[in-house]
Amino acid sequence: MKNKRLIRYLLAGIIAGGFLLTPHHPAAAGPRRGNEQSIIQLRDFRHAQLKCGGFTLPTNTKVHIVGRGGGKKETAFSGSFMYAYGWIIDASTRKPVWKMDYPNTTSAGKDRICDAEISLPAGSYEVYFTISGDPWFSLRQSMSELRNSGKRSGGQISRGFLSWIEELFGNESEGDWDRRAQSWGLDVSVGENVGNVATFNPPREFPFVVFKASQLGDDAHIRQRFTVAHRVTLHVYALGESSGDELADYGWIQNEQSHARIWEMRSSNVSSAGGADKNVMSNEFITFPPGDYVLSFMTDDSHSFENWNAAPPFDPLHYGITIAASSAADSSAIKLSSEKSSERNIIAQMIRVGDNETRSESFTLKKETRVRVYAVGERSNSRREMADYGWIINARTREKV
């Protein structure tokens, strides 16, 4: 299925990439004024989907932003959009404060450029630039993956399909893309009278983080148990992907004993995370009574921090889930563990059962005992029969109990 998905992206890149074929003479992202100091420069996107930088302003400051990217004007089939662009978020709130989009840029050959000045209050900010919406980048990545796949399978893909693609586009088109991508980027500067502006590597972390699984790639499966010593309210910050009415990348937290879900990402309770429409987020404060809990987060086989197949969210470095307490005292009440508390008293267990599999386990009770049975299976289409199920028998009488 992986190769089919890559071929689908290749064909999408071919259709959308036609407007990239004419020669272009690149220029720098843009000059800064003589009385300014540059604080962030994000340049050269020939081999990178995403670059970022952070800065902290000591006072309310006017910030000069100069950028060069790529965009496509409105057609009968789609509205105008940017496929190579930048944005700035507040490092504390994780919300955008400025974005390079089609209306605030002007045409410069095949590119779009912006020259803006905005006022920002004292605080920390993060600057991002992406070309994840650019068809040539997706095409090059897909071709690279297909080459590697072709080598592993005897080179059939490389000799057939890839040679046709390369002949269709030719080296001149790829060289044109390289020249444009090298010139894309964003420069952020402030006046020389502002003084020293500290910079940092994003992301700026939340205070009192108790667990974090971010920058998740494809096919990730995260599972973390934790114990809450006393009643606390935790900040749950999660970014994922929607797929129609369902979620493709999402998480949940459940009580370990009752299996009741305390929190979960659903299509009905998530909001836009910026970038592509399918990027979603949950930003909630959830109260947890004392007890044992299990956190889970999973991603599917595409569109993740590992390889965006569409525009990333505004806070891409937090893709996944972060749990933070509101104070040091509440943070100390959370204990992460690898052992399931109920596993200490398990007398028999059969889990992760596969297709067409039959298993059995035995146990002995020395006296009459009340036991808990927890099972998850599958009901057949008739609703009167089970497809996946279990039972317990008395080993001596062979009767079902």
Side-chain angles (χ1 to χ4, degrees), residues 49-94:
Q49 270 191 311
L50 180 75
K51 290 187 179 183
C52 59
F55 64 93
T56 300
L57 299 176
T59 60
N60 296 350
T61 306
K62 286 187 177 180
V63 177
H64 185 204
I65 306 166
V66 177
R68 175 182 284 269
K72 197 171 189 325
K73 65 181 180 180
E74 183 177 2
T75 67
F77 304 100
S78 67
S80 57
F81 66 94
M82 298 291 291
Y83 52 80
Y85 63 96
W87 67 94
I88 302 175
I89 68 171
D90 186 307
S92 297
T93 66
R94 316 307 300 171

Side-chain angles (χ1 to χ4, degrees), residues 369-387:
T369 306
R370 185 177 179 85
V371 299
R372 181 187 181 191
V373 179
Y374 179 74
V376 178
E378 178 189 4
R379 186 170 58 186
S380 67
N381 293 332
S382 69
R383 292 182 171 270
R384 294 183 178 182
E385 298 180 355
M386 295 291 293

